[in-house]
Each structure stands twice: as structure tokens, then as C-alpha cells.
Amino acid sequence: MSNTKYIFVTGGVTSSLGKGIIAASLAKLLQAQDFKVTIQKFDPYINVDPGTLNPYEHGECYVTEDGAETDLDLGHYERFLNINTSQANNVTTGRVYQSVIEKERRGEFLGKTVQVIPHITNEIKERMQLLGKTGEYDMVITEIGGTVGDIESLPYIESVRQLIWDLGKENALVIHLTLIPYLAAAGELKTKPTQHSVKTLMESGISADIIVCRTEHELSGELKEKLALFCNVKREAIIQSIDVDTIYDVPLKMLEEGLDKVVLQKLQLSPKKPLDLTSWNLFLEKFKNPKHKLKIGLVGKYVELQDSYKSIVESLIHAGAINETEIEIISVHSEHLEEGTVAAQLKGLHGLIVAPGFGERGIEGKISAIAYARENKLPFFGICLGMQMAVIEYARNQKGLQDANSTEMDPNCKHAVIDLMESQKSILNKGGTMRLGAWDCDLQPNTIVAQAYQSNKISERHRHRYEFNNAYLAQVFDEQFIIAGTNPETGLVEIIEYKNHPWFVGVQFHPEYKSTVSNPHPLFLAFVKASLTQKAKE
Ligand code: GLN
């Protein structure tokens, strides 16, 4: 019997309060006291995973080592904790129903009527304990997506209630995150929505053990007393979560408020060692006191929504901090880029990233931006679709293949330099069928990337269907435009570089998924360094 403890994080009043960041911050504090912690997220929507969701709907789709397409909160978990998550760390209602229905079809329910309670809740409970039962973790933090009171959250809340009953109060607790709104006209912070949301939770048989209050203003002692009284928790279990400039401050704020202490006390645990956040603080110190400033352009078609490129933005923060550099990201909408105006729009940038993406919209803008970066020796980093567009740009503008394109954009193009992977051709389903997760890559010696990684063998995470078409190897690559990395098993081109340039790299994979606070990604580090050199030339 493992003695893993379970911490559940629910949300009330409104969505977007940052349950993921609170969960990751608590995990960080516990990890800093030597506890082995993992975090998982249960999402109440019916998509089997977020891989089929448009980024406008749900922000970036994050990808794990084992190829799960997940909620972007898993990115926060990995970046804060420097651990890998997996398929088991993100479960949706769609996934739960899918597996219950499959069991029903196999006859596993022995003629019973299959119902939300107990069949769906049992499936949820089983999945909630999957990681805990490995015995690898002292604690499992489970974030329940959505807001308490939502119809679709009900089976999750009921499962939490049952699990607490099964596990015992000393082995499980509930943290409820709510909002304390400030009414400017009254000049007051209001506790009523929180009282209601705690009550809603109680109607489902769960009493919150700890209440974390998102607020724009400091909560007075008096207000905390009032909340404690009405919400049935101790005064020290009312935790203020005040707005901060950076998410990386949240663990420190939670430490100040004693969130970790209350949690340990409730779970009847003592710290395994005195809390040590030295390296975290070092990162923050550098991040907050930059000596340099860079403007990096991020070209994409979802730029209106910052969450669409969450991992890229965070990777730049990590790499910037180490280089003591503040990075201002200039979002450039690929649909607004035109050949004639590119120079004016990209003027003043010190580096350019062309983002991943799908579909035809905005690709000509991306290609024009890449041509500008290549010709004007502006550091360029193309990620996934960004790499594919760099190949098309070179093929069109330097190799005389005017009609070069990807068959994703133009199925009938004359020169399909980017084409559907052979393994993808017979696949009809869209969900979970891309080339996903970690794949090995061999690097060419004496390349920018080999220098950056300080290695000739790497592994990176993927999420794509198209690839460089090897029938065009001889027509596209030359002394200047080279293959810097290939997959050892399939021979797929994974990295391209342009030599006659200070830093021009395109990667078929997604390096941004592997950058963490304590382990900034080598390619982002090298790209930021190159952009600093570019700036120094001004
Ligand atoms: N749409 C491209 C493909 O499927 C690139 C995907 C991406 O950028 N993640 O290959």
C-alpha cells in the first residue's frame, strides 16, 4: 500500500484564475522540501484530448515525451518542476467516456446498466490514482479544470468526494481557488462570491480545506477572519494570491502566505529537509535585473492570443534570464506581412522566430519574413511550420523552384518540397495521429546546433504530419543551405541551417516543450546569444 497523499485543486467564481500556476507553485514548494510530487489535470470537455482544438479555443497544445497532446498547464508543471509528465497526467471527459464505452463493448460490465455513478466516477477515480499507485510520488496534485457548479464538472467533484472518503482525511485535501473582486465604486473587496462557491462545493459533499483567494489588492486580516468564519476553514488556511508581474513569483508569494505549511500540517507531514529555493531565486534575480534588452519578432497567425505560443514565450524568458536579457516579444501577424512591407514591419528586431502552425492562412507572410531574415542576416529560428517555410523560401528564391510548396497548403503544387510523411498517408483520423512525442536526432558536427547542444545526439518532441520531401534533397540543399540534423531511423530531415548567416536554424521539432526554469533550452539560449550579438552590431 503506497502512502501517496492527494491534493485536489478546484476553482470557483470564474475561470482563468490560474489553478495551474497555483498547483505548480505549491508543487515547487513541496519539491524544494524534497518531496516527490507530480501534477495531473482533469479537463471536463468532451474532446478526447486538446490536440484537435484550435489554439483560439484553448491556447497552445502541449506535447509530452510520450506523445500526449495535452492542456498547456502541463507545460507549466514541467517548467516549474523540471520533471516530465505523460499521457496519464492529462485526462478529459472524452477520454473517460471513451474507455468506459470500450469496456462496455467488451462486455466488462457483466450486463449491468452503465451509469455516471458508479462507472464514470470509478473510471475517474482509477485514473486519479494511476500515478499515485506507482509508488514514485509522495504527493499527487490533481487540478480539476473548469469551475465548481458547472454541469460538466459534477462527475469529477463527486469522484473527489468519494476518493477523500476512501483515502481518509489525513491523506487527501482540497484547495479551492476563488476570486475576491474589488468593487471600485464601493472601494471594497467582496467575499460573497467566494462564500457562494464554497457553499456550492459543500452541496456536493466537499468542504474545502484551504481557500486560495485571487485578488488585485491585499486582503486585510479582518477580511481573512471573515472568510475563514463563513467558509468553515482555519484563518491560516485562507491564502491570498495577489496579482504579480510574473508567474515565476507565485511560488514565493505562496511561501509568504504559508500555503506549503498548511498543506503539510493537514496531511500530517513534516518537511523532509529545510526548504531550498536557491536556484529558483537565482533565476528570478537574473530575470528581474536584466542588463540587456532585445526585441524578438514572433511571426504566427494566432498572435492575438498570447497563450497560443505559451511555451515559446516561456522558453524565451528562461533563455533571456540566463543571458541577463529582457526580451520584448513583438508579435507579428503573418497575415499582415506582405513582401513590400516586410522590411518596414521587421525593422528594429534583433531576432525572428517563425512559429509552428497549420493550414494555408498567413504562410506567404511567413515566407516573406524568412526571406528578409535570410537576406538581411537577422538571426532566424524556424519552429516546425517555421522550418518548413524556410525550406520553401530557399527552394523558391535560391533554387529556382518557383512553385515550391507544402502539399498541406497546395496539394497540386509542382514542387512538393514539403510533403505528407509516408506513415501519414493512410491515416484518416485527425485526433492523436500526428508524429508525436520524443524522437532521436543525429546532428552534423560543426553546425550551429551541434555547438549549441554540445552533443551529436539529441531527442526532441514532435507534432506534425508533413516533412521535408527527400526526393528534393539534391535540388534544395547545397553548400550554404544544409541539413544539420536527421532522424537516425527514418532519414527524415529534422534540422536545416543556412551557413552564409550569423544564425539561421529551422527545426522540425518543438524545442519549446523542453525548456524549464532550471534547464533552459540550448537552442533558445544560442538564439538569444546570437540576437545579442546582432544588437551589438547596431
Ligand atoms: N502543419 C505542419 C505539419 O503538420 C506543421 C505543424 C506544426 O508546426 N506543429 O507538418
Side-chain angles (χ1 to χ4, degrees):
M1 172 80 188
S2 82
N3 44 13
T4 305
K5 308 265 184 181
Y6 290 84
I7 300 167
F8 299 96
V9 182
T10 58
V13 182
T14 161
S15 57
S16 306
L17 290 180
K19 284 192 295 280
I21 302 293
I22 294 294
S25 299
L26 171 62
K28 186 76 223 169
L29 296 180
L30 296 168
Q31 189 190 53
Q33 297 170 66
D34 231 12
F35 290 105
K36 290 236 154 32
V37 192
T38 190
I39 318 186
Q40 55 190 13
K41 178 154 195 207
F42 282 66
D43 276 310
Y45 52 74
I46 298 175
N47 303 63
V48 171
D49 61 45
T52 51
L53 286 173
N54 182 321
Y56 289 126
E57 290 282 319
H58 215 67
E60 165 192 280
C61 173
Y62 187 74
V63 178
T64 59
E65 282 290 292
D66 66 348
E69 294 175 279
T70 75
D71 185 82
L72 57 78
D73 272 343
L74 269 76
H76 292 308
Y77 307 162
E78 291 205 1
R79 287 188 284 271
F80 273 52
L81 301 178
N82 198 39
I83 59 165
N84 284 336
T85 55
S86 67
Q87 295 276 359
N89 293 73
N90 193 192
V91 176
T92 68
T93 295
R95 172 87 64 202
V96 169
Y97 272 78
Q98 188 184 47
S99 83
V100 170
I101 291 169
E102 277 167 9
K103 283 181 190 165
E104 187 274 334
R105 294 287 82 184
R106 289 196 298 268
E108 286 184 27
F109 297 113
L110 304 172
K112 288 271 181 218
T113 309
V114 182
Q115 295 180 298
V116 174
I117 301 172
H119 301 100
I120 294 297
T121 46
N122 282 349
E123 180 75 27
I124 294 175
K125 285 199 301 181
E126 215 172 278
R127 287 174 179 264
M128 280 179 171
Q129 295 176 92
L130 214 61
L131 290 167
K133 283 187 174 159
T134 61
E136 276 179 53
Y137 303 102
D138 298 311
M139 291 158 197
V140 176
I141 302 181
T142 305
E143 179 192 345
I144 311 288
T147 309
V148 164
D150 293 349
I151 291 175
E152 56 225 35
S153 301
L154 283 175
Y156 294 98
I157 300 296
E158 169 60 13
S159 304
V160 171
R161 185 194 68 76
Q162 292 181 15
L163 251 186
I164 298 175
W165 177 256
D166 296 344
L167 295 163
K169 265 281 186 193
E170 67 288 1
N171 293 317
L173 64 80
V174 174
I175 299 176
H176 190 54
L177 176 63
T178 73
L179 174 73
I180 307 287
Y182 178 73
L183 286 193
E188 264 185 84
L189 286 163
K190 291 298 192 186
T191 63
K192 194 73 84 191
T194 297
Q195 294 179 41
H196 279 296
S197 141
V198 169
K199 205 168 126 195
T200 307
L201 205 51
M202 271 181 181
E203 282 164 8
S204 304
I206 295 178
S207 44
D209 297 280
I210 298 170
I211 297 171
V212 177
C213 307
R214 269 300 294 273
T215 174
E216 289 171 13
H217 301 275
E218 293 278 339
L219 305 184
S220 66
E222 202 183 330
L223 191 133
K224 283 186 171 179
E225 295 283 354
K226 181 174 163 189
L227 273 170
L229 184 68
F230 283 112
C231 300
N232 225 7
V233 300
K234 292 248 164 61
R235 160 75 172 73
E236 63 271 20
I238 300 287
I239 304 287
Q240 160 184 295
S241 170
I242 199 151
D243 290 1
V244 280
D245 295 338
T246 158
I247 54 169
Y248 297 107
D249 265 338
V250 180
L252 302 182
K253 288 285 171 199
M254 291 303 104
L255 180 65
E256 269 172 35
E257 289 282 308
L259 176 61
D260 58 316
K261 276 210 185 74
V262 199
V263 165
L264 291 180
Q265 209 177 44
K266 295 245 175 218
L267 297 175
Q268 301 177 9
L269 294 169
S270 345
K272 288 191 174 180
K273 68 158 204 214
L275 182 129
D276 181 6
L277 280 177
T278 316
S279 64
W280 191 268
N281 285 328
L282 210 70
F283 157 77
L284 270 178
E285 169 89 23
K286 286 196 171 180
F287 175 48
K288 290 185 177 174
N289 300 294
K291 297 201 172 82
H292 321 280
K293 190 168 174 182
L294 285 179
K295 283 190 180 167
I296 302 290
L298 176 60
V299 182
K301 71 171 172 178
Y302 310 111
V303 288
E304 302 92 332
L305 194 74
Q306 273 264 330
D307 272 0
S308 310
Y309 304 112
K310 193 82 201 158
S311 295
I312 293 179
V313 172
E314 300 305 320
S315 301
L316 284 171
I317 289 179
H318 306 154
I322 291 243
N323 284 297
E324 299 183 297
T325 301
E326 178 188 341
I327 295 180
E328 184 186 350
I329 297 177
I330 311 288
S331 298
V332 185
H333 201 302
S334 49
E335 278 184 298
H336 304 161
L337 277 172
E338 275 158 33
E339 226 179 296
T341 61
V342 158
Q345 280 175 271
L346 304 186
K347 200 168 164 262
L349 296 179
H350 307 114
L352 187 76
I353 295 181
V354 175
F358 294 83
E360 198 191 351
R361 200 157 58 82
I363 65 142
E364 293 305 323
K366 288 184 174 174
I367 293 170
S368 306
I370 296 167
Y372 174 87
R374 192 175 55 75
E375 282 159 11
N376 293 281
K377 301 201 186 311
L378 178 65
F380 163 78
F381 194 4
I383 301 179
C384 207
L385 185 67
M387 172 266 198
Q388 297 175 354
M389 294 303 117
V391 168
I392 293 171
E393 188 279 320
Y394 197 75
R396 284 187 190 174
N397 297 337
Q398 297 295 309
K399 307 302 280 188
L401 304 173
Q402 266 86 11
D403 187 34
N405 212 331
S406 161
T407 47
E408 180 182 4
M409 320 306 166
D410 179 2
N412 303 316
C413 63
K414 198 159 141 211
H415 298 294
V417 290
I418 306 292
D419 198 4
L420 200 58
M421 279 180 271
E422 205 45 50
S423 55
Q424 288 283 332
K425 289 190 175 154
S426 56
I427 295 176
L428 297 175
N429 276 357
K430 286 273 183 273
T433 54
M434 281 186 248
R435 181 184 182 213
L436 290 165
W439 291 81
D440 288 338
C441 173
D442 287 348
L443 304 183
Q444 276 303 318
N446 305 321
T447 51
I448 294 174
V449 285
Q451 163 94 28
Y453 282 99
Q454 290 288 301
S455 166
N456 286 339
K457 248 190 176 344
I458 58 157
S459 163
E460 291 283 359
R461 300 183 197 171
H462 292 247
R463 183 174 187 251
H464 61 115
R465 286 184 213 284
Y466 294 80
E467 57 161 326
F468 178 79
N469 178 355
N470 279 349
Y472 279 92
L473 281 172
Q475 283 178 80
V476 171
F477 292 104
D478 55 29
E479 300 262 283
Q480 296 303 326
F481 198 69
I482 62 152
I483 301 172
T486 37
N487 178 282
E489 288 150 43
T490 58
L492 291 184
V493 174
E494 305 279 30
I495 310 176
I496 57 97
E497 286 184 16
Y498 180 54
K499 290 240 162 219
N500 185 21
H501 195 282
W503 210 94
F504 189 101
V505 175
V507 293
Q508 184 59 81
F509 47 81
H510 291 262
E512 70 274 20
Y513 294 142
K514 280 180 72 167
S515 180
T516 70
V517 167
S518 48
N519 238 340
H521 195 282
L523 290 185
F524 280 91
L525 283 173
F527 171 67
V528 168
K529 280 211 176 83
S531 306
L532 282 168
T533 313
Q534 168 80 11
K535 188 178 181 190
K537 284 189 208 145
E538 281 177 358

